Amino acid sequence: MFRFAFLVHPLDLKRDVARKYPIAKWLPESWVEALLRRMSVKVLGKITGVRSPTGATTEGWLLGIPMTAKMMLADEKRALALLAEACHLAADLGAHIVGLGAYTAIVGNNGMELQKMSPLPVTTGNSYTTWTAVEATKLAAEAMGIEWERATAAVVGATGSIGKACAFLLVNGTKGTERAAGGERQMADGEVHLPPVAEVVLIGRNWQRLETVREEVTNGEGQSATGAKALVRMTTNIAEGLKEADVVITVTSAMDAVIEPEHLKPGCVVCDVARPRDVSERVRKERDDVLVIDGGIVRIPGEPHWEFSIGLPEDRTLACVAETMLLALEGRLEPFTLGRNISVERVLEIATMAMRHGFRVDGFRSFERLLSADEVAQIRQRARVAAKG
């Protein structure tokens, strides 16, 4: 059996720290942050019971990094030192590979610097995160009555690693990936399939970088890599880019929310992959006619048990954790996803691994809370009323 470790950190200063230290909920935030500065890496708990239909098994540990995203951004040197400490602790525990969660996947050139300091291979989990973001968005669109192949999709943060890979899949689908990579083979049974949408809006802050992404995801003439006509537009104005979007995938590295209630049309789906999140809390409070999901939630095969909860049922996890589990199950002890460029071929490879081992996107989480099918149906109904009015 190959084992894994996965690194997490507080997303919400008081709420997440209180999961380990309940007294934190009663303390001022400045005190909690001061306490974090005095802490070292902690073993939060073990994960057991992960069993693939192939018979392969794995187990691992959650390791807590005592820094928020803003703390890491302000002091990357300390962040890298703590991440390296965590990797050495993982090796001492008996892990064979380390996965990076939330902002730990961004520090040090998206894991590249950490890999130089780590005794174990490191992966950001961004390949499977990319796939599940698109797959979950498609499933959510279907639940909201949106026709995928006629939809307008917007990618916020399109010049980033996940954003660019998501844009390629939205523009080309999975068949386009084969031809873009220089091959002509047909997708085989057991491989993942995804059709393209009708139109993609690339949204970012830098026009020149957007031009580069547009060239990479098309043939440079507004066509997809397969040669089919595909509308691909660009904008640096987020309000302009989102006003007609049926589906949105947002994955910036901003410290504060970038999507506000007035940006979204009734009935749209927003997949917020970013941590810290890109979608304003105001959207949750003011727009009950749009469906916001927190990236793809993945069902784990076997009978998994978590000694420390990350806020999901025990049989589900985030895609970045699932990628680390999958690599352990496969015995692929390598830095599968690192750096600012994500290979779309690797995205499809990890998605195919997931199918083989029984991992699948299952359920929607919105603002850290699982949604029921009835709640999604109610959002869809409110969207219909809002669109008519």
Side-chain angles (χ1 to χ4, degrees):
M1 178 194 296
F2 295 108
R3 298 174 175 86
F4 65 91
F6 192 79
L7 311 189
V8 297
H9 69 87
L11 297 174
D12 181 280
L13 188 60
K14 294 181 68 173
R15 181 199 65 207
D16 292 340
V17 175
R19 286 180 177 172
K20 183 68 174 178
Y21 305 102
I23 194 175
K25 70 176 71 172
W26 308 109
L27 300 176
E29 287 197 357
S30 60
W31 290 25
V32 177
E33 188 168 317
L35 287 171
L36 287 179
R37 294 186 189 281
R38 293 174 172 267
M39 290 182 181
S40 58
V41 178
K42 302 292 183 184
V43 178
L44 299 178
K46 197 168 184 180
I47 307 162
T48 57
V50 181
R51 177 178 292 276
S52 164
T54 67
T57 61
T58 188
E59 62 185 21
W61 296 265
L62 280 180
L63 304 183
I65 307 299
M67 296 183 80
T68 63
K70 287 186 177 180
M71 291 169 70
M72 291 186 207
L73 184 65
D75 190 353
E76 187 167 298
K77 183 177 179 181
R78 178 173 182 258
L80 270 174
L82 284 171
L83 296 181
E85 177 188 331
C87 290
H88 282 86
L89 174 58
D92 291 342
L93 289 168
H96 301 93
I97 189 167
V98 176
L100 306 179
Y103 209 79
T104 69
I106 296 175
V107 171
N109 192 21
N110 296 71
M112 297 288 284
E113 293 302 315
L114 177 61
Q115 184 61 77
K116 298 174 185 176
M117 306 163 69
S118 173
L120 299 176
V122 172
T123 186
T124 63
N126 284 346
S127 291
Y128 196 40
T129 295
T130 296
W131 175 259
T132 59
V134 178
E135 185 178 9
T137 301
K138 183 176 183 293
L139 291 172
E142 291 170 356
M144 289 292 287
I146 297 168
E147 294 183 57
W148 183 257
E149 293 178 63
R150 298 179 63 182
T152 294
V155 181
V156 185
T159 59
S161 55
I162 296 177
K164 183 171 64 174
C166 286
F168 190 99
L169 289 170
L170 291 168
V171 170
N172 297 286
T174 49
K175 289 186 178 180
T177 306
E178 295 297 331
R179 193 166 297 177
E184 292 291 335
R185 74 177 180 85
Q186 296 295 312
M187 301 294 284
D189 290 341
E191 291 185 294
V192 292
H193 297 264
L194 177 81
V197 296
E199 181 178 13
V200 176
V201 184
L202 308 175
I203 304 173
R205 292 178 295 181
N206 184 294
W207 187 263
Q208 186 173 1
R209 291 180 66 191
L210 284 172
E211 285 275 16
T212 300
V213 172
R214 181 181 178 277
E215 289 286 333
E216 291 185 25
V217 303
T218 72
N219 63 6
E221 299 177 358
Q223 294 180 324
S224 73
T226 58
K229 291 291 183 182
L231 292 173
V232 180
R233 297 190 287 113
M234 306 178 300
T235 182
T236 56
N237 184 317
I238 194 165
E240 178 69 23
L242 295 182
K243 67 180 183 180
E244 298 299 330
D246 301 301
V247 298
V248 179
I249 296 177
T250 182
V251 57
T252 78
S253 55
M255 288 293 102
D256 299 305
V258 298
I259 296 179
E260 300 293 346
E262 58 271 19
H263 293 152
L264 304 171
K265 77 175 190 179
C268 75
V269 168
V270 184
C271 180
D272 191 348
V273 185
R275 292 297 177 271
R277 63 174 58 256
D278 281 341
V279 179
S280 168
E281 188 73 16
R282 286 181 54 221
V283 175
R284 180 182 67 81
K285 295 175 180 177
E286 301 175 22
R287 294 299 304 272
D288 61 1
D289 60 344
V290 300
L291 176 57
V292 180
I293 61 174
D294 298 340
I297 304 301
V298 179
R299 187 176 290 273
I300 309 167
E303 297 180 355
H305 172 67
W306 301 65
E307 291 181 349
F308 182 85
S309 173
I310 61 171
L312 289 168
E314 289 201 313
D315 63 348
R316 296 179 197 178
T317 192
L318 304 174
C320 48
V321 186
E323 177 170 311
T324 315
M325 292 176 172
L326 281 163
L327 294 171
L329 288 168
E330 284 276 308
R332 293 282 295 272
L333 309 179
E334 61 189 74
F336 191 84
T337 313
L338 285 181
R340 299 184 186 278
N341 289 312
I342 296 175
S343 160
V344 180
E345 287 70 35
R346 287 229 152 176
V347 171
L348 298 189
E349 184 180 5
I350 197 75
T352 301
M353 277 187 220
M355 289 180 63
R356 179 164 61 250
H357 289 290
F359 288 73
R360 69 180 190 276
V361 173
D362 185 13
F364 304 129
R365 188 172 71 157
S366 181
F367 292 92
E368 314 297 333
R369 187 179 68 83
L370 281 173
L371 294 176
S372 68
D374 284 345
E375 287 175 303
V376 175
Q378 289 166 14
I379 295 170
R380 180 175 176 175
Q381 181 59 34
R382 288 192 292 265
R384 287 175 175 169
V385 172
K388 290 178 181 178

